[in-house]
mmCIF file of all heavy atoms in Angstrom:
data_model
loop_
_atom_site.group_PDB
_atom_site.id
_atom_site.type_symbol
_atom_site.label_atom_id
_atom_site.label_comp_id
_atom_site.label_asym_id
_atom_site.label_seq_id
_atom_site.Cartn_x
_atom_site.Cartn_y
_atom_site.Cartn_z
ATOM 1 N N ALA Q 17 166.439 -1.358 38.759
ATOM 2 C CA ALA Q 17 167.853 -1.481 38.387
ATOM 3 C C ALA Q 17 168.420 -0.142 37.934
ATOM 4 O O ALA Q 17 169.546 0.223 38.301
ATOM 5 C CB ALA Q 17 168.013 -2.536 37.296
ATOM 6 N N PHE Q 18 167.649 0.610 37.156
ATOM 7 C CA PHE Q 18 168.138 1.914 36.709
ATOM 8 C C PHE Q 18 168.238 2.897 37.870
ATOM 9 O O PHE Q 18 169.169 3.710 37.923
ATOM 10 C CB PHE Q 18 167.252 2.461 35.588
ATOM 11 C CG PHE Q 18 167.806 2.188 34.213
ATOM 12 C CD1 PHE Q 18 167.698 0.929 33.649
ATOM 13 C CD2 PHE Q 18 168.459 3.172 33.495
ATOM 14 C CE1 PHE Q 18 168.209 0.648 32.389
ATOM 15 C CE2 PHE Q 18 168.990 2.921 32.233
ATOM 16 C CZ PHE Q 18 168.867 1.656 31.677
ATOM 17 N N ARG Q 19 167.327 2.814 38.815
ATOM 18 C CA ARG Q 19 167.418 3.686 39.985
ATOM 19 C C ARG Q 19 168.693 3.407 40.782
ATOM 20 O O ARG Q 19 169.265 4.304 41.400
ATOM 21 C CB ARG Q 19 166.202 3.495 40.898
ATOM 22 C CG ARG Q 19 164.921 4.117 40.381
ATOM 23 C CD ARG Q 19 163.874 4.243 41.481
ATOM 24 N NE ARG Q 19 163.509 2.960 42.072
ATOM 25 C CZ ARG Q 19 162.518 2.184 41.623
ATOM 26 N NH1 ARG Q 19 161.803 2.571 40.566
ATOM 27 N NH2 ARG Q 19 162.235 1.046 42.224
ATOM 28 N N LYS Q 20 169.156 2.155 40.738
ATOM 29 C CA LYS Q 20 170.313 1.752 41.535
ATOM 30 C C LYS Q 20 171.634 1.866 40.779
ATOM 31 O O LYS Q 20 172.690 1.590 41.360
ATOM 32 C CB LYS Q 20 170.135 0.311 42.020
ATOM 33 C CG LYS Q 20 168.976 0.125 42.980
ATOM 34 C CD LYS Q 20 168.778 -1.352 43.305
ATOM 35 C CE LYS Q 20 167.588 -1.597 44.218
ATOM 36 N NZ LYS Q 20 167.360 -3.050 44.469
ATOM 37 N N GLY Q 21 171.605 2.229 39.486
ATOM 38 C CA GLY Q 21 172.862 2.468 38.789
ATOM 39 C C GLY Q 21 173.118 1.646 37.540
ATOM 40 O O GLY Q 21 174.223 1.704 36.981
ATOM 41 N N MET Q 22 172.127 0.911 37.040
ATOM 42 C CA MET Q 22 172.347 0.119 35.835
ATOM 43 C C MET Q 22 172.733 0.984 34.643
ATOM 44 O O MET Q 22 173.547 0.591 33.798
ATOM 45 C CB MET Q 22 171.089 -0.686 35.501
ATOM 46 C CG MET Q 22 171.242 -1.514 34.231
ATOM 47 S SD MET Q 22 169.733 -2.417 33.788
ATOM 48 C CE MET Q 22 170.211 -3.045 32.162
ATOM 49 N N GLY Q 23 172.162 2.167 34.561
ATOM 50 C CA GLY Q 23 172.461 3.053 33.441
ATOM 51 C C GLY Q 23 173.937 3.409 33.353
ATOM 52 O O GLY Q 23 174.505 3.495 32.253
ATOM 53 N N ASP Q 24 174.586 3.606 34.501
ATOM 54 C CA ASP Q 24 176.017 3.922 34.505
ATOM 55 C C ASP Q 24 176.824 2.739 33.980
ATOM 56 O O ASP Q 24 177.782 2.918 33.209
ATOM 57 C CB ASP Q 24 176.477 4.265 35.919
ATOM 58 C CG ASP Q 24 175.870 5.561 36.424
ATOM 59 O OD1 ASP Q 24 175.485 6.406 35.581
ATOM 60 O OD2 ASP Q 24 175.764 5.730 37.654
ATOM 61 N N TRP Q 25 176.452 1.526 34.420
ATOM 62 C CA TRP Q 25 177.145 0.327 33.912
ATOM 63 C C TRP Q 25 176.987 0.227 32.402
ATOM 64 O O TRP Q 25 177.967 0.002 31.681
ATOM 65 C CB TRP Q 25 176.566 -0.928 34.587
ATOM 66 C CG TRP Q 25 176.983 -2.196 33.910
ATOM 67 C CD1 TRP Q 25 178.161 -2.872 34.078
ATOM 68 C CD2 TRP Q 25 176.256 -2.929 32.905
ATOM 69 N NE1 TRP Q 25 178.216 -3.983 33.253
ATOM 70 C CE2 TRP Q 25 177.048 -4.036 32.525
ATOM 71 C CE3 TRP Q 25 175.005 -2.755 32.309
ATOM 72 C CZ2 TRP Q 25 176.628 -4.964 31.570
ATOM 73 C CZ3 TRP Q 25 174.585 -3.680 31.358
ATOM 74 C CH2 TRP Q 25 175.396 -4.771 30.996
ATOM 75 N N LEU Q 26 175.776 0.418 31.910
ATOM 76 C CA LEU Q 26 175.511 0.265 30.484
ATOM 77 C C LEU Q 26 176.258 1.316 29.668
ATOM 78 O O LEU Q 26 176.803 1.014 28.594
ATOM 79 C CB LEU Q 26 174.008 0.349 30.228
ATOM 80 C CG LEU Q 26 173.531 0.043 28.816
ATOM 81 C CD1 LEU Q 26 173.931 -1.361 28.393
ATOM 82 C CD2 LEU Q 26 172.004 0.210 28.728
ATOM 83 N N ALA Q 27 176.319 2.530 30.165
ATOM 84 C CA ALA Q 27 176.996 3.615 29.445
ATOM 85 C C ALA Q 27 178.490 3.342 29.282
ATOM 86 O O ALA Q 27 179.106 3.775 28.305
ATOM 87 C CB ALA Q 27 176.783 4.933 30.180
ATOM 88 N N ASP Q 28 179.060 2.604 30.231
ATOM 89 C CA ASP Q 28 180.510 2.361 30.217
ATOM 90 C C ASP Q 28 180.911 1.064 29.526
ATOM 91 O O ASP Q 28 182.104 0.829 29.308
ATOM 92 C CB ASP Q 28 181.045 2.307 31.658
ATOM 93 C CG ASP Q 28 181.005 3.659 32.345
ATOM 94 O OD1 ASP Q 28 180.945 4.677 31.639
ATOM 95 O OD2 ASP Q 28 181.023 3.679 33.588
ATOM 96 N N ARG Q 29 179.941 0.209 29.138
ATOM 97 C CA ARG Q 29 180.288 -1.167 28.772
ATOM 98 C C ARG Q 29 180.372 -1.421 27.271
ATOM 99 O O ARG Q 29 180.832 -2.468 26.844
ATOM 100 C CB ARG Q 29 179.269 -2.119 29.408
ATOM 101 C CG ARG Q 29 179.779 -3.514 29.702
ATOM 102 C CD ARG Q 29 181.041 -3.509 30.534
ATOM 103 N NE ARG Q 29 181.520 -4.845 30.859
ATOM 104 C CZ ARG Q 29 182.372 -5.560 30.137
ATOM 105 N NH1 ARG Q 29 182.861 -5.061 28.997
ATOM 106 N NH2 ARG Q 29 182.765 -6.755 30.532
ATOM 107 N N ASP Q 30 179.931 -0.464 26.443
ATOM 108 C CA ASP Q 30 180.047 -0.586 24.986
ATOM 109 C C ASP Q 30 179.421 -1.881 24.468
ATOM 110 O O ASP Q 30 180.017 -2.613 23.678
ATOM 111 C CB ASP Q 30 181.523 -0.500 24.561
ATOM 112 C CG ASP Q 30 181.683 -0.257 23.062
ATOM 113 O OD1 ASP Q 30 180.725 0.252 22.440
ATOM 114 O OD2 ASP Q 30 182.754 -0.594 22.526
#
Side-chain angles (χ1 to χ4, degrees):
F18 263 77
R19 286 196 300 270
K20 295 174 182 177
M22 179 182 172
D24 293 336
W25 167 82
L26 187 59
D28 291 340
R29 208 54 178 90
D30 195 22

